[in-house]
Amino acid sequence: MDKRKKIISAAIAIFSKKGIEKTTISDIVDQAGIGQGTFYLYFSSKMALMPAIAEVLVEKMHGDLVKQIKPATLAEQMDEIIKVMFAFTKTYKDLNKLMYSGLTQTEHIKDWETIYAPVYQWMEELLASHQQAGSLREDLNVRYIAKILIGMIEAAAEQNYLFYDQDPALIAEYRNELKKFVNYAMAANS
Amino acid sequence: MDKRKKIISAAIAIFSKKGIEKTTISDIVDQAGIGQGTFYLYFSSKMALMPAIAEVLVEKMHGDLVKQIKPATLAEQMDEIIKVMFAFTKTYKDLNKLMYSGLTQTEHIKDWETIYAPVYQWMEELLASHQQAGSLREDLNVRYIAKILIGMIEAAAEQNYLFYDQDPALIAEYRNELKKFVNYAMAANS
Amino acid sequence: MDKRKKIISAAIAIFSKKGIEKTTISDIVDQAGIGQGTFYLYFSSKMALMPAIAEVLVEKMHGDLVKQIKPATLAEQMDEIIKVMFAFTKTYKDLNKLMYSGLTQTEHIKDWETIYAPVYQWMEELLASHQQAGSLREDLNVRYIAKILIGMIEAAAEQNYLFYDQDPALIAEYRNELKKFVNYAMAANS
Amino acid sequence: MDKRKKIISAAIAIFSKKGIEKTTISDIVDQAGIGQGTFYLYFSSKMALMPAIAEVLVEKMHGDLVKQIKPATLAEQMDEIIKVMFAFTKTYKDLNKLMYSGLTQTEHIKDWETIYAPVYQWMEELLASHQQAGSLREDLNVRYIAKILIGMIEAAAEQNYLFYDQDPALIAEYRNELKKFVNYAMAANS
DNA sequence: GATGAATGAGCGTTCATTCAT
DNA sequence: GATGAATGAACGCTCATTCAT
């Protein structure tokens, strides 16, 4: 693994454990097993790591979605998407927090949309195919709906996993309502 | 104004301008016009301010909602809610960022739900009245829908205002899709 | 109990527990149950407490000696004196440390001899009586021997109790040697 | 001279001049001619210097003893030992104070015995040789007597030099009594 | 390229001291 | 006399950054 990758992995590990603010460059280089100065050959500051980390994460989520979402009805696919994104949020909850914190606290915010683009793109295409198949309301603009859906599912997942340890039974109820809501909103025949 | 209030106001002002990480306690006490040590009589650290700030902000949003949302049809009210929340996000975009960063980076995450409770409560009651009036789908659980709605609208607003300066025309389009989406999801007769 | 006494007692308690340097005036006034400012009505600083504390301690040791040392042979009395001083050092080991630290770090060092005077005086008289009785070597100057004895017994006790928790069996051996040593040094017929 | 040594020397110099409590890390690094942060690469705090300083001092005293004490009768050697230790206490009286204050105020007390070990060892061997030669009472345990002697001579020296400026004539008298006392205690034929 | 000892500006934090009540 | 909220100077300490090796 090259040094750059080592730094990113190390940073993800430490940020997850200690939070961004309490993590020092020293922590990162120790974890990465490289010298102090070496860090600066690859990144100009702690915050400059954020886009790289965000990219890794979003690629991971994109990969999960692509892998898990099989051809099926719109409702079934939305069900599965919600499942994948909830699972992802749960697994990487600490990193989700720091993606928000990290990206928002710097000028790297601009990179956000670029990083997210593949996921939006993927969702847009999925919705477009359903619209062509007549299973998604005709008058919805899939470009915007893709972003709305991703935003709302993430928000829902965060409400359940980020802020405190919700009772799994209540999460199931929540998810069920979310699915109904989404299905009513989109299904051509609802 | 008591010292505690002064500190919170000062912190909101400086955090908005410089970001959390770059803000020093010194900045805050200077702005507040109090002594260095006085800060520590009220807050144990910079991050301990976050819940207090979040509370102020959420109260503000709650106030805006209560003030702006007049009796009307569900669709009209949702339209207005989206308008208010988009406006709020736009106005306080820096503070929104820091609420995320600030609360998520500390143990104060737990306070989040408590702070948000009044807004959820207000939305839930609004939805319940529509359900009684027959204008909201019978089978939706208003408790969860309230949280889903607030989460999704905030996410949508953040996508438009937080990450970069979106073209207002595109924002209008986005909002329009959002309204359609929400209306389809909820309106009894859609 | 008047405020001054309260302060001294509180200071002894806290100094023993936390050490001088880590003790704050705040700690002392809290323990004493008085106001911040009140401290300054009685003492000008933390270190100004030291002579008062030393006085309390030395009076205590003097009292123990006077109470415990009964008429007896010189050897028996020395045995008892060693016992009392070892016990005293053990019980008040933290305070002994701080008497050294406290007094030596200030201009109050000068007070030391004055504070100790009664103990030296008492020992001198004890030795003088033995000299008159012929049980203490004629040619020893009791004025100096009194100070030497007190110094050496304290030093011995400190070696055993102050620096680490010595095995009681070894302490007993040590004390036995000390008694022999002292007896050889002083007893007219050794 | 390496940085660690520089720090110790600087600390000894400043502590002697200003006392421990009034000395700041800043003072030390200025005197040592190193950067603020460098201090912390070698010592974790001001108090963590104490064992290192004590070691330097005790080594110095040990060196003085080894150098000055020539083969001679027990009485002559004890005379010389007292002379050396009094001189040492006089020269380094400020440092003696701070060794007490410094070591006793921290967890480093435990190190004390280790630091003193070489001196105790040296004294023990000296006494043992006299015992073999028949010039020291047979029944004294040299291991304990070594510690007793060093403790008592130091205590005596401190009584004369540490607490106030004693009249030299009186010090001479004191020392004379001390020699007599020690000689009576130990000499085989007294 | 890689290192890590050294740096020192700058931060959070403490706490003795004051003074209006 | 007694108080304790408020102060702010001053300290310990951190840690991003550099640079000689």
Side-chain angles (χ1 to χ4, degrees):
Chain A
M1 191 159 55
D2 71 21
K3 295 250 154 66
R4 195 189 127 89
K5 288 251 169 72
K6 270 189 191 169
I7 293 171
I8 294 171
S9 297
I12 288 177
I14 309 272
F15 281 154
S16 301
K17 211 194 305 166
K18 308 179 56 171
I20 297 174
E21 201 144 358
K22 296 218 168 158
T23 296
T24 66
I25 307 257
S26 207
D27 294 332
I28 296 169
V29 299
D30 286 355
Q31 172 80 15
I34 59 164
Q36 280 282 345
T38 311
F39 179 90
Y40 292 90
L41 299 176
Y42 296 92
F43 296 96
S44 62
S45 74
K46 188 169 68 177
M47 283 308 177
L49 274 166
M50 289 305 154
I53 291 175
E55 209 163 349
V56 167
L57 269 187
V58 173
E59 269 166 17
K60 173 86 181 71
M61 188 170 82
H62 186 199
D64 283 5
L65 287 169
V66 167
K67 202 169 65 191
Q68 299 292 332
I69 302 333
K70 304 276 157 53
T73 66
L74 175 59
E76 285 164 354
Q77 285 192 327
M78 288 313 304
D79 192 9
E80 195 64 22
I81 288 169
I82 290 169
K83 194 170 135 193
V84 168
M85 289 180 66
F86 268 56
F88 185 85
T89 302
K90 188 180 178 187
T91 308
Y92 297 98
K93 67 175 162 182
D94 296 310
L95 284 176
N96 263 292
K97 285 184 227 168
L98 75 87
M99 255 170 37
Y100 273 112
S101 319
L103 278 176
T104 53
Q105 276 188 41
T106 64
E107 288 315 298
H108 303 292
I109 294 188
K110 315 154 196 166
D111 300 333
W112 183 270
E113 289 288 300
T114 314
I115 293 166
Y116 249 90
V119 182
Y120 289 152
Q121 180 72 20
W122 173 86
M123 178 69 95
E124 191 180 328
E125 284 163 11
L126 186 95
L127 295 177
S129 72
H130 278 290
Q131 216 167 30
Q132 282 182 328
S135 50
L136 172 64
R137 292 176 193 274
E138 275 268 320
D139 63 332
L140 292 177
N141 181 330
V142 292
R143 183 180 194 90
Y144 293 111
I145 300 301
K147 297 180 73 173
I148 289 169
L149 275 172
I150 290 170
M152 81 181 290
I153 298 171
E154 278 189 346
E158 285 160 11
Q159 282 178 359
N160 280 289
Y161 294 117
L162 231 62
F163 300 123
Y164 64 137
D165 289 322
Q166 190 76 274
D167 174 355
L170 296 179
I171 296 181
E173 276 180 43
Y174 190 114
R175 257 175 66 183
N176 206 45
E177 290 298 314
L178 182 62
K179 278 153 57 181
K180 255 195 290 179
F181 188 96
V182 165
N183 200 43
Y184 279 139
M186 303 201 298
N189 57 340
S190 67
Chain B
M1 190 159 53
D2 71 20
K3 296 250 152 62
R4 196 188 126 88
K5 289 253 169 68
K6 270 189 191 167
I7 293 171
I8 295 170
S9 298
I12 288 176
I14 312 271
F15 281 155
S16 303
K17 211 193 304 168
K18 306 180 59 170
I20 298 175
E21 202 145 357
K22 298 225 166 149
T23 297
T24 66
I25 306 269
S26 225
D27 294 332
I28 296 169
V29 299
D30 287 354
Q31 173 80 17
I34 58 164
Q36 279 281 345
T38 309
F39 178 89
Y40 293 91
L41 295 178
Y42 295 93
F43 297 96
S44 60
S45 73
K46 191 169 63 177
M47 282 309 177
L49 272 166
M50 290 306 154
I53 291 176
E55 209 164 349
V56 167
L57 272 185
V58 173
E59 269 166 18
K60 173 88 181 70
M61 189 171 80
H62 186 199
D64 284 4
L65 287 169
V66 168
K67 202 169 65 191
Q68 299 293 331
I69 301 336
K70 303 276 157 53
T73 66
L74 175 58
E76 285 164 354
Q77 285 192 327
M78 288 314 303
D79 191 10
E80 195 64 22
I81 288 169
I82 290 170
K83 193 171 135 194
V84 167
M85 288 179 67
F86 267 56
F88 185 85
T89 302
K90 187 180 179 187
T91 308
Y92 296 99
K93 67 173 163 181
D94 296 310
L95 284 176
N96 263 293
K97 283 184 230 168
L98 73 87
M99 254 169 38
Y100 273 111
S101 322
L103 276 177
T104 54
Q105 276 190 41
T106 64
E107 289 314 299
H108 304 294
I109 294 188
K110 317 154 196 164
D111 301 334
W112 183 270
E113 289 287 299
T114 314
I115 293 166
Y116 248 91
V119 181
Y120 290 152
Q121 181 72 19
W122 172 87
M123 178 70 94
E124 191 181 329
E125 284 162 11
L126 187 94
L127 295 177
S129 71
H130 278 291
Q131 216 167 30
Q132 282 183 327
S135 50
L136 173 63
R137 292 176 194 273
E138 277 269 318
D139 64 332
L140 293 177
N141 182 328
V142 292
R143 184 178 194 92
Y144 293 111
I145 300 301
K147 296 180 75 173
I148 289 169
L149 275 172
I150 289 170
M152 81 181 289
I153 298 171
E154 277 190 347
E158 284 160 11
Q159 282 178 0
N160 281 289
Y161 293 118
L162 232 60
F163 301 123
Y164 62 138
D165 289 323
Q166 192 76 273
D167 173 354
L170 295 180
I171 296 181
E173 275 179 45
Y174 190 115
R175 257 176 64 184
N176 206 45
E177 290 300 313
L178 182 62
K179 279 152 57 180
K180 255 195 290 178
F181 187 97
V182 165
N183 199 44
Y184 279 139
M186 303 201 297
N189 56 339
S190 66
Chain C
M1 189 159 54
D2 71 21
K3 296 249 153 64
R4 194 188 128 89
K5 289 252 170 71
K6 271 190 190 167
I7 292 171
I8 294 170
S9 298
I12 288 176
I14 309 272
F15 281 154
S16 302
K17 211 194 305 168
K18 307 180 55 170
I20 296 175
E21 201 145 356
K22 295 216 168 159
T23 296
T24 66
I25 306 258
S26 207
D27 294 333
I28 297 169
V29 298
D30 286 355
Q31 172 81 15
I34 59 164
Q36 281 282 344
T38 310
F39 179 90
Y40 292 91
L41 298 176
Y42 295 93
F43 295 96
S44 61
S45 74
K46 187 168 70 177
M47 283 308 178
L49 274 165
M50 290 306 153
I53 291 175
E55 208 163 349
V56 167
L57 269 187
V58 173
E59 268 167 19
K60 173 86 182 71
M61 188 170 81
H62 186 199
D64 284 4
L65 287 168
V66 167
K67 201 170 65 190
Q68 298 293 331
I69 301 337
K70 304 276 156 54
T73 66
L74 175 58
E76 284 163 352
Q77 285 192 328
M78 287 314 304
D79 191 9
E80 195 65 20
I81 288 170
I82 289 170
K83 194 170 135 195
V84 168
M85 288 180 67
F86 267 56
F88 185 85
T89 300
K90 188 180 179 187
T91 307
Y92 296 99
K93 68 174 161 180
D94 295 309
L95 284 175
N96 263 293
K97 284 184 226 169
L98 75 87
M99 255 170 36
Y100 273 112
S101 319
L103 278 176
T104 54
Q105 277 188 41
T106 64
E107 288 315 299
H108 304 291
I109 294 187
K110 315 155 195 165
D111 301 333
W112 183 269
E113 289 287 301
T114 314
I115 293 166
Y116 248 91
V119 181
Y120 290 151
Q121 182 70 22
W122 172 88
M123 178 69 94
E124 190 180 330
E125 284 163 10
L126 186 96
L127 295 177
S129 72
H130 278 290
Q131 215 166 31
Q132 283 183 327
S135 49
L136 172 65
R137 293 176 193 273
E138 276 268 319
D139 62 334
L140 293 177
N141 181 330
V142 292
R143 183 179 195 91
Y144 294 110
I145 299 301
K147 296 180 74 172
I148 289 169
L149 275 172
I150 288 170
M152 81 180 291
I153 298 171
E154 277 189 347
E158 285 160 12
Q159 283 178 359
N160 281 289
Y161 293 117
L162 231 62
F163 301 123
Y164 63 137
D165 289 324
Q166 190 76 274
D167 174 355
L170 296 180
I171 296 182
E173 277 180 45
Y174 190 114
R175 257 176 65 184
N176 205 45
E177 290 299 314
L178 182 62
K179 279 152 55 181
K180 257 194 290 178
F181 188 96
V182 166
N183 200 45
Y184 280 139
M186 302 199 299
N189 56 341
S190 67
Chain D
M1 189 160 54
D2 71 20
K3 296 249 152 62
R4 196 187 126 88
K5 290 253 170 70
K6 269 189 192 169
I7 293 171
I8 294 170
S9 299
I12 289 176
I14 310 271
F15 281 155
S16 302
K17 211 194 302 168
K18 306 180 59 170
I20 298 175
E21 202 145 358
K22 298 226 166 147
T23 296
T24 67
I25 306 270
S26 227
D27 295 333
I28 297 169
V29 298
D30 287 354
Q31 173 81 16
I34 58 164
Q36 278 280 346
T38 308
F39 178 89
Y40 293 91
L41 295 178
Y42 296 93
F43 297 96
S44 61
S45 73
K46 191 169 65 177
M47 283 308 178
L49 273 166
M50 290 306 154
I53 291 176
E55 208 164 351
V56 167
L57 273 185
V58 173
E59 270 167 18
K60 173 88 181 71
M61 189 171 79
H62 185 199
D64 283 6
L65 286 169
V66 168
K67 203 169 64 189
Q68 299 293 332
I69 299 341
K70 303 277 158 52
T73 66
L74 176 60
E76 284 163 354
Q77 285 191 326
M78 288 313 304
D79 190 10
E80 194 66 20
I81 288 169
I82 290 169
K83 193 170 134 195
V84 167
M85 288 180 66
F86 267 57
F88 185 86
T89 301
K90 187 180 179 187
T91 308
Y92 296 100
K93 67 174 163 180
D94 296 310
L95 285 175
N96 263 293
K97 282 186 230 168
L98 71 88
M99 253 169 40
Y100 273 112
S101 323
L103 277 177
T104 54
Q105 276 190 42
T106 64
E107 290 312 300
H108 305 292
I109 293 187
K110 317 153 196 166
D111 301 334
W112 183 271
E113 289 287 299
T114 313
I115 293 166
Y116 249 91
V119 181
Y120 289 152
Q121 181 72 19
W122 172 87
M123 178 68 95
E124 190 181 329
E125 284 163 12
L126 186 95
L127 294 178
S129 72
H130 279 291
Q131 214 168 29
Q132 283 183 326
S135 50
L136 172 63
R137 292 177 194 272
E138 277 268 318
D139 64 333
L140 292 178
N141 181 330
V142 291
R143 182 177 197 94
Y144 293 110
I145 300 301
K147 295 180 75 172
I148 289 169
L149 275 173
I150 289 169
M152 82 180 289
I153 298 171
E154 278 189 347
E158 285 159 12
Q159 283 178 0
N160 281 288
Y161 294 118
L162 232 61
F163 301 121
Y164 63 137
D165 289 324
Q166 190 76 273
D167 173 354
L170 296 180
I171 296 180
E173 275 181 43
Y174 190 116
R175 258 176 63 185
N176 206 46
E177 289 299 313
L178 181 63
K179 279 153 56 182
K180 254 195 292 179
F181 187 97
V182 166
N183 199 45
Y184 279 140
M186 302 200 298
N189 57 341
S190 68

